[in-house]
Amino acid sequence: MRIAVIHGPNLRLLGTREPEVYGTDTLDDVNRRLTEAAAGLGVEIETFQSNHEGEILDFIEKAAPRVRGFLINPGAFTHTSIALLDAFLGVSRPFVEVHLSNLARREAFRHHSYLSGAAVGVVYGFGVQSYLLGLQGLVARLGGR
Ligand code: DQA
């Protein structure tokens, strides 16, 4: 079973970006921990990061035929992108939405997600652990370990 992990805008800056909000792990650290967790769950992952909405849409379309589902931290596109929602609806693949920070404790504009209503589930507030819990939930939903 193969799963694609998508990191949205500004997540390449992890480690130095507002560490009091997002922690000190880098994106490489997150991907390494995901790869280890995936091995334990008996699944393969591929990771992708982009700051560009269109590139993420293209990636979803291209990756969909080879993956069973998506794990995504859409970054700020969470709160703005109907196109991202439509991309997931269009490829008919389950996805889990994750965020490092606890969106409910932050600014009001971060309380709404265009994606959540179509996601299998949403995990936020646990830092890197959000990704790992999200992966676990997605794999379970897909019938894996
Ligand atoms: C984020 C939360 C978003 O509101 C923000 O724009 C991000 C990161 C998170 O992981 O907590 O870029 O998705």
Side-chain angles (χ1 to χ4, degrees):
M1 186 192 303
R2 195 174 177 81
I3 287 167
V5 179
I6 301 173
H7 305 284
N10 298 312
L11 291 167
R12 212 155 45 202
L13 298 174
L14 280 185
T16 54
R17 174 191 182 197
E18 299 178 83
E20 66 288 357
V21 178
Y22 298 117
T24 51
D25 285 310
T26 65
L27 191 60
D28 282 346
D29 293 333
V30 175
N31 285 335
R32 194 173 21 80
R33 290 184 65 181
L34 276 168
T35 303
E36 284 165 14
L41 291 165
V43 302
E44 273 180 66
I45 58 164
E46 60 181 82
T47 62
F48 177 78
Q49 190 280 332
S50 178
N51 289 333
H52 304 277
E53 188 174 4
E55 281 182 9
I56 297 175
L57 304 180
D58 289 345
F59 177 79
I60 292 169
E61 192 183 315
K62 289 207 182 87
R66 62 175 183 263
V67 303
R68 292 280 304 284
F70 292 89
L71 184 72
I72 183 167
N73 182 344
F77 294 150
T78 307
H79 321 297
T80 62
S81 183
I82 297 169
L84 203 45
L85 168 65
D86 283 347
F88 283 121
L89 296 176
V91 299
S92 304
R93 288 285 182 285
F95 70 95
V96 168
E97 176 185 340
V98 301
H99 300 278
L100 296 151
S101 62
N102 179 350
L103 298 182
R105 285 179 62 168
R106 302 189 62 195
E107 304 96 319
F109 64 82
R110 296 186 203 273
H111 296 177
H112 176 258
S113 165
Y114 278 104
L115 302 180
S116 297
V120 166
V122 183
V123 185
Y124 63 58
F126 295 100
V128 181
Q129 202 70 27
S130 293
Y131 281 92
L132 305 176
L133 293 167
L135 179 67
Q136 217 177 308
L138 180 60
V139 171
R141 175 57 67 91
L142 290 169
R145 269 183 240 162

